[in-house]
Amino acid sequence: MTSAPARVTVLSGGIGGARFLVGLLAHLRQVNPDGQGGTLTAVTVIGNTGDDIWVHGVRVCPDLDTVMYTLGDGISRERGWGREGETFSAKDELAAYGVEPTWFGLGDKDLATHLIRTQSLQSGFTLTEVTAALCDRWQPGVTLLPMSNERAETHVVVETEDEGRRAIHFQEWWIRYRASLPAQGFVMVGIDEAKPAPGVLEAIHDTDLVILPPSNPVVSIGAILQVPGIAEAIRTTKAPVVGLSPIVGDAPVRGMADACLTALNIETTATAVALHYGARSNGGLIDAWLVDTQDALSVAVIEESGIRTRAIPLMMTDVDATAAMAAQAIDFATS
Ligand code: FO1
């Protein structure tokens, strides 16, 4: 029986991070039950808002919504984003008017979330307050904090014959171009003015464990770490910091992390991502790193860099497999 920490903080992007959180909560409900089907462990999620975008007059926060819907059991299982049983009538009508961006999958049920968020932001509420209000309905079982209340959007530097070199919004690169346009780099517009949202630095310092789940290390975890103050907090927290590799057997488990890593000249391997985060004993971000059993040969190399490493099954095939990963992460980081 692994000892359950009283407080855990998780930095999360969208689909990968949300899937990990389902397993983490299942594990904590088992080893540290609160008697009402929940857990006594306080889990705080710092969500990436670099993917956020204004479309058709509403503010969309893909990673916050993916965590909220996934943990609130409203997520589309087929897509991994947006709502179960979704329709796209509003999207189709907008397209019928020839209004761009026609490539963005704005769902009718999802639209309610964006309308409430947009109205609330425009009447002066912060993204933190709006996210808490939306979570009242979804009851995700975690405290979901945006990484920042200020707008800091990930844009991708691309170059094409016809349009030359330019920066496009991450969502356009991801959805419209399926990350097929080679990314020459990533720019977070507005990041210099961004501050950690209230509670974010406290959640990193006043906790028993910090987890970097298998989210995209560049545009999800990487975006969170670019908010001034957050990387420093991770480097200096007294809590152990453990990461789980998003790359298994030299390929991303899901998504297009390889396209992102290549843009930064980082190899698509579990080792390269670990070294990219770096050992906290050498001024980096992690103390411990979990790789998949397929990458067991990389354990020694990563340990040489000062990062304690263990090879375990890392495929989040179902809740039980993910819960086992979470249990290992807690056990390894706190042992
Ligand atoms: N991903 C897609 O591949 N196609 C879409 O049309 C799309 C729409 C969308 C709408 C709301 C939302 O919260 C997420 C959406 N996503 C879509 C996923 C999103 O682009 C990614 O999940 C994140 O930005 C990357 O983690």
Side-chain angles (χ1 to χ4, degrees):
M1 173 85 87
T2 23
S3 62
R7 300 161 300 176
V8 177
T9 294
V10 184
L11 274 62
S12 180
I15 299 170
R19 182 160 293 171
F20 174 77
L21 285 162
V22 170
L24 173 66
L25 286 170
H27 169 67
L28 291 171
R29 286 177 180 136
Q30 200 197 354
V31 296
N32 196 12
D34 66 359
Q36 287 110 26
T39 175
L40 294 174
T41 300
V43 180
T44 302
V45 178
I46 299 171
N48 170 40
T49 55
D51 292 1
D52 296 3
I53 184 169
W54 280 102
V55 281
H56 304 302
V58 291
R59 186 71 176 161
V60 178
C61 300
D63 285 357
L64 295 181
D65 292 350
T66 297
V67 170
M68 183 175 73
Y69 289 153
T70 300
L71 298 184
D73 206 18
I75 197 78
S76 158
R77 295 189 186 296
E78 172 215 349
R79 286 188 299 270
W81 55 266
R83 291 286 308 282
E84 190 62 56
E86 183 63 284
T87 53
F88 295 90
S89 304
K91 174 180 185 285
D92 295 344
E93 284 303 301
L94 287 160
Y97 280 112
V99 169
E100 288 302 333
T102 51
W103 46 264
F104 190 83
L106 184 68
D108 297 323
K109 292 183 176 179
D110 200 23
L111 189 54
T113 300
H114 311 319
L115 287 170
I116 292 168
R117 175 163 38 229
T118 302
Q119 285 171 350
S120 306
L121 290 173
Q122 285 171 345
S123 56
F125 290 98
T126 65
L127 183 57
T128 300
E129 291 163 331
V130 173
T131 304
L134 293 169
C135 285
D136 268 353
R137 170 184 175 191
W138 292 101
Q139 295 297 309
V142 303
T143 301
L144 178 57
L145 302 175
M147 67 189 199
S148 174
N149 282 333
E150 286 76 45
R151 191 174 167 189
E153 295 177 4
T154 301
H155 284 59
V156 188
V157 179
V158 296
E159 189 156 13
T160 53
E161 278 297 302
D162 49 345
E163 303 202 44
R165 186 176 158 84
R166 67 199 191 286
I168 59 176
H169 193 285
F170 173 79
Q171 292 301 333
E172 183 170 7
W173 181 68
W174 188 263
I175 299 173
R176 186 179 186 189
Y177 298 108
R178 306 306 305 154
S180 62
L181 295 182
Q184 297 188 357
F186 299 94
V187 177
M188 288 200 74
V189 178
I191 193 69
D192 296 340
E193 291 72 45
K195 296 189 296 297
V200 164
L201 298 182
E202 292 79 356
I204 295 171
H205 282 300
D206 309 336
T207 189
D208 301 302
L209 176 62
V210 176
I211 302 178
L212 304 188
S215 286
N216 187 308
V218 176
V219 292
S220 298
I221 306 288
I224 299 171
L225 295 171
Q226 286 208 39
V227 176
I230 291 184
E232 193 50 29
I234 301 272
R235 285 194 188 90
T236 56
T237 180
K238 292 186 193 59
V241 182
V242 60
L244 294 95
S245 179
I247 305 296
V248 169
D250 299 357
V253 175
R254 185 187 168 109
M256 285 160 268
D258 45 348
C260 302
L261 289 163
T262 307
L264 300 189
N265 296 320
I266 301 169
E267 266 185 307
T268 301
T269 65
T271 302
V273 177
L275 301 183
H276 171 64
Y277 284 138
R280 277 216 299 174
S281 53
N282 283 344
L285 297 165
I286 55 175
D287 301 308
W289 184 246
L290 292 175
V291 301
D292 187 76
T293 44
Q294 285 181 51
D295 300 302
L297 292 179
S298 66
V299 169
V301 166
I302 301 169
E303 293 223 312
E304 269 165 30
S305 73
I307 301 168
R308 295 171 52 231
T309 305
R310 185 183 278 180
I312 64 163
L314 273 193
M315 299 307 283
M316 299 189 281
T317 45
D318 57 27
V319 180
D320 290 346
T322 312
M325 285 164 56
Q328 288 269 10
I330 292 170
D331 180 60
F332 189 39
T334 55
S335 62

